Amino acid sequence: MATSFADVIKAQYVSLTTFTKDGRPKPTPIWIAPDGDRALVITGKDSWKVKRIRNTPRVTLAVCDRSGNVKGEPVEAVATILDQAPQIEKVYSAIGNRYGLLGKVFNFFSKLRGGTTRNVGLELRAA
């Protein structure tokens, strides 16, 4: 049975693979919050994954453990960068709701270190 986008975004940890200009894959384990037919992620504005997504929005997602060891087949997706403060706050809220107390602690410290001025949200949709 093939893995679907909906199945992958239900996982606690997901391996997000972005691609360099020459096509090399760069996987990163992330927290992800399902939001209808999309998934939301918070990350640093200047992170390499954001730079790669600005170059090519094609990504793949796969279920993984917290160390990034992939546990299933990847699915294709398209990433959009959410860089407006209200959009980022929605991502923070989704992460807090999805990961409970741990997510709220993460959000608190993330906001303490710069919040919406140093971070962006990522919107992931099935390709």
Side-chain angles (χ1 to χ4, degrees), residues 24-86:
R24 287 178 290 135
K26 298 291 184 173
T28 307
I30 57 169
W31 276 359
I32 193 165
D35 184 48
D37 64 345
R38 66 183 184 162
L40 301 173
V41 175
I42 197 84
T43 191
K45 181 185 291 188
D46 296 324
S47 69
W48 282 102
K49 66 180 147 295
V50 170
K51 292 175 184 178
R52 288 189 292 270
I53 288 168
R54 287 190 196 285
N55 184 51
T56 178
R58 176 185 167 252
V59 299
T60 63
L61 304 171
V63 175
C64 70
D65 62 20
R66 67 179 168 177
S67 298
N69 299 311
V70 174
K71 304 291 183 187
E73 293 298 314
V75 296
E76 293 284 329
V78 176
T80 303
I81 297 168
L82 308 174
D83 56 5
Q84 302 298 312

